[in-house]
């Protein structure tokens, strides 16, 4: 069940990343020009495979569920502000909620290769500080296109009124 949830989350991330760059028309011959963009690859931190290291963080239900009310609202407001800050700093590639099955509440994909750095970043999040959620860390090697998700998402999200 756990591996199925990770696989589902990763497939969703790869699907979104694949949409990050427009696809080139099908090549009519093997000699057709490659759509490779060296400058973009460098900007996104891609290696020779178009990939890069990340740390996948699974957020699970923690021991200290806060009851509904102003304190819980403030905690989640801080959670979203923290994610926005980390994304703006280029440290958080992707984040989102999960379905809650088996206590799995959400995920972060940190654009760092080191588990300790990911733990330091996660430790700034109010839901983890308060114990509403706990984090599980896994090294993840994925498409560097995930780094383009925030820019694309900003174009998809209407302005707040």
């Amino acid at each position: 069940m756990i591996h199925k949830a990770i696989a589902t989350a990763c497939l969703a991330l790869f699907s979104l990343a694949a949409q990050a760059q427009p696809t080139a028309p099908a090549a009519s011959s093997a000699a057709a020009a490659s759509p490779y963009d060296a400058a973009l690859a460098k900007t996104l931190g891609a290696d020779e495979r178009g990939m890069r290291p990340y740390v996948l963080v699974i957020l699970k239900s923690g021991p200290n569920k806060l009851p509904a009310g102003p304190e819980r609202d403030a905690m989640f407001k801080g959670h979203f502000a923290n994610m926005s800050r980390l994304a703006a700093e280029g440290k958080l590639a992707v984040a989102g909620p999960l379905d809650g099955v088996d206590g799995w509440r959400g995920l972060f994909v940190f654009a760092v290769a080191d588990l300790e750095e990911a733990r330091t970043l996660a430790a700034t999040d109010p839901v983890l500080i308060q114990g509403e959620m706990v984090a599980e860390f896994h090294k993840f090697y994925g498409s560097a296109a995930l780094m383009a998700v925030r820019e694309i998402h900003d174009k998809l999200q209407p302005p707040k009124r």
Side-chain angles (χ1 to χ4, degrees):
M1 184 69 145
I2 291 172
H3 295 292
K4 182 179 178 186
I6 290 175
T8 300
C10 291
L11 285 173
L13 293 172
F14 284 126
S15 175
L16 184 57
Q19 297 171 22
Q21 293 295 317
T23 56
S28 58
S29 73
S34 168
Y36 176 70
D37 184 333
L40 179 61
K42 184 176 181 179
T43 299
L44 299 179
D47 65 13
E48 67 280 356
R49 293 180 186 91
M51 309 279 277
R52 65 172 289 155
Y54 299 96
V55 173
L56 171 66
V57 181
I58 303 296
L59 301 174
K60 297 179 177 182
S61 293
N64 300 325
K65 181 174 170 111
L66 289 178
E71 188 178 352
R72 183 178 180 80
D73 294 344
M75 176 186 64
F76 276 101
K77 183 176 181 181
H79 171 64
F80 292 112
N82 191 59
M83 287 187 293
S84 292
R85 176 187 63 82
L86 292 169
E89 292 173 2
K91 296 293 186 177
L92 182 63
V94 175
L98 296 174
D99 58 12
V101 173
D102 296 330
W104 287 38
R105 307 263 304 269
L107 64 84
F108 296 146
V109 177
F110 285 125
V112 300
D114 181 66
L115 290 171
E116 286 309 311
E117 184 177 359
R119 285 185 178 96
T120 299
L121 295 171
T124 65
D125 197 289
V127 300
L128 294 169
I129 293 167
Q130 301 264 346
E132 172 79 20
M133 296 182 201
V134 294
E136 183 179 291
F137 299 83
H138 302 274
K139 288 188 175 190
F140 172 59
Y141 182 64
S143 174
L146 292 178
M147 298 304 297
V149 169
R150 180 171 189 254
E151 179 183 340
I152 294 166
H153 179 76
D154 289 347
K155 293 176 183 178
L156 301 175
Q157 184 178 10
K160 293 178 182 165
R161 295 178 189 197

